[in-house]
Amino acid sequence: MDTFYYPEHIRHDPAGLHRPENPEKNLYYSEIAQRGLVIRQAVEAAHYGPIRPPADFGVEPIGAVHDHRMISLLQTAYHDVHQDNPDGVLIPTTFRVGQRGGGHKPNTPVGLLGYYSFDIGCPVFKDSWEAAYWSAQTAVSAADHIVNSNDQVAYALCRPPGHHAAADMMGGFCYLNNAAIAANALVDQGHRVAILDVDFHHGNGTQAIFYNRSDVLFCSIHADPLEEYPYFWGYADEFGRGAGEHYNFNFPLPMGTGNAAYLEALKQALARIKLFVPTSVIISFGADIGDCDPVGGFKIDSDGFRQIGAEIRSLGLPTVVVQEGGYLLSTLGGHVVSFLDGINGRN
Ligand SMILES: [Zn+2]
């Protein structure tokens, strides 16, 4: 199994952003650069084949999924406000709520960030665009690898994550939707793609991107949005719209869900995927389903992670694993490796 990884993601590190008004969950301390380092070290120690830098597929695969003004905003907003100061940050404070009105867009970088954000989870630092760009390239590189090799599994060790980012909306630490960009690139090569999201949180961005499409199936297993972020999406009655109707399936689960109930939901999701008859699968993999994760609430242990991987392996399809969340540094590496053991058929 080849792993794709962009080491310079560490220059985008929200760990330095102090948010004293949010002490309990400390969300801004969660999506820290160290996550990527911890996972990389664990994958290396488990001797899982080469760890390679992503290739550069350019902005085209990103632009095929995301709003072009949002992309150019991410490229330029920081420099427009802070020039070469390395220590600044942009945080949106005002959001478009409800109807989008006449579609007017503000002129200022911070106003536009509010236009293109649904929460305060995407602060823009000096190197955020570079990190998000290469995180997307990491996913596209892994997708390209399973198309052009005999390998069954490729691992995109992405950071920042992507599954909360919609075509024209950022949030939840996600600037660009890595899994969706990779899926769309596979569709462009004639693939029929199923995306299975096993992060603790609903993949609302991925759902939104493919909600009207029948060429990509989206299934997500996640915490019940009645109780958990992202709150407004991820309910069991969201099935898709128009041509996409019946190509979107959500499996919300209660807080405290353990291995057995999780695996039951996974079997239902895999049954949907088999009916779709895909030619390749993309897994939005969040290790935040692990027991005691600071932003999680499920109780999946190492054996559960391995079984989840093994069930996905039973599909027998080319599979791209795209890293999403996972925040408990003490168990993060072990849980990721357990999952990779399962999906690669290692005991
Ligand atoms: Zn998550």
Side-chain angles (χ1 to χ4, degrees):
M1 181 194 76
D2 285 24
T3 297
F4 293 85
Y5 177 74
Y6 179 69
E8 295 303 316
H9 73 85
I10 55 174
R11 287 194 271 139
H12 166 74
D13 193 356
L17 188 61
H18 187 45
R19 301 290 296 174
E21 72 276 24
N22 191 10
E24 302 95 50
K25 280 207 157 183
N26 247 343
L27 285 174
Y28 275 108
Y29 285 102
S30 297
E31 209 295 288
I32 57 175
Q34 213 182 335
R35 297 177 55 240
L37 303 177
V38 163
I39 297 172
R40 187 205 179 284
Q41 285 167 2
V43 171
E44 189 174 42
H47 302 294
Y48 259 119
I51 298 175
R52 302 162 49 184
D56 189 356
F57 292 85
V59 82
E60 288 78 13
I62 299 171
V65 166
H66 287 286
D67 182 290
H68 292 195
R69 186 69 189 89
M70 185 178 98
I71 294 170
S72 67
L73 176 71
L74 280 170
Q75 289 171 318
T76 60
Y78 184 89
H79 188 264
D80 285 350
V81 175
H82 293 299
Q83 287 78 49
D84 294 325
N85 172 9
D87 300 319
V89 63
L90 299 176
I91 303 172
T93 53
T94 311
F95 305 96
R96 51 178 170 143
V97 177
Q99 291 294 325
R100 295 183 181 189
H104 299 289
K105 293 177 185 162
N107 289 325
T108 70
V110 170
L112 266 177
L113 278 174
Y115 182 89
Y116 284 116
S117 298
F118 68 90
D119 65 19
I120 56 170
C122 287
V124 174
F125 299 92
K126 182 168 182 291
D127 297 306
S128 297
W129 163 252
E130 186 192 314
Y133 175 87
W134 285 104
S135 195
Q137 302 300 333
T138 299
V140 176
S141 295
D144 183 69
H145 182 72
I146 60 156
V147 170
N148 294 307
S149 75
N150 293 321
D151 290 355
Q152 183 93 340
V153 182
Y155 178 35
L157 206 182
C158 294
R159 193 191 152 266
H163 73 148
H164 295 306
D168 62 354
M169 254 192 337
M170 301 173 258
F173 315 142
C174 302
Y175 303 79
L176 300 172
N177 195 314
N178 308 313
I181 292 165
N184 200 64
L186 284 173
V187 169
D188 283 348
Q189 297 194 45
H191 273 258
R192 187 169 166 84
V193 182
I195 303 175
L196 172 62
D197 190 316
V198 296
D199 188 276
F200 175 72
H201 306 95
H202 177 242
N204 59 301
T206 317
Q207 169 173 297
I209 286 165
F210 297 111
Y211 209 61
N212 295 291
R213 286 172 58 169
S214 61
D215 53 351
V216 174
L217 178 75
F218 181 65
C219 293
S220 181
I221 307 166
H222 50 266
D224 191 332
L226 283 173
E227 298 181 274
E228 254 299 341
Y229 185 91
Y231 299 113
F232 311 110
W233 306 276
Y235 294 90
D237 61 355
E238 297 163 10
F239 292 111
R241 186 179 300 131
E245 196 171 2
H246 306 307
Y247 292 91
N248 191 91
F249 295 97
N250 288 322
F251 301 88
L253 295 171
M255 300 293 275
T257 291
N259 291 354
Y262 192 95
L263 289 162
E264 191 52 44
L266 177 62
K267 282 183 179 137
Q268 293 175 37
L270 292 175
R272 290 290 183 189
I273 289 171
K274 284 175 194 159
L275 286 171
F276 179 70
V277 196
T279 59
S280 57
V281 179
I282 291 183
I283 308 298
S284 269
F285 172 66
D288 49 4
I289 55 175
D291 197 12
C292 297
D293 192 284
V295 303
F298 289 169
K299 296 180 181 300
I300 307 304
D301 60 17
S302 287
D303 192 50
F305 275 101
R306 191 189 52 75
Q307 289 184 64
I308 292 165
E311 290 289 342
I312 293 168
R313 176 182 172 80
S314 73
L315 289 169
L317 290 165
T319 302
V320 181
V321 177
V322 177
Q323 187 65 43
E324 302 285 358
Y327 305 96
L328 185 62
L329 296 180
S330 58
T331 60
L332 182 56
H335 283 164
V336 171
V337 167
S338 292
F339 174 77
L340 295 175
D341 284 349
I343 207 166
N344 283 290
R346 270 194 193 178
N347 287 317

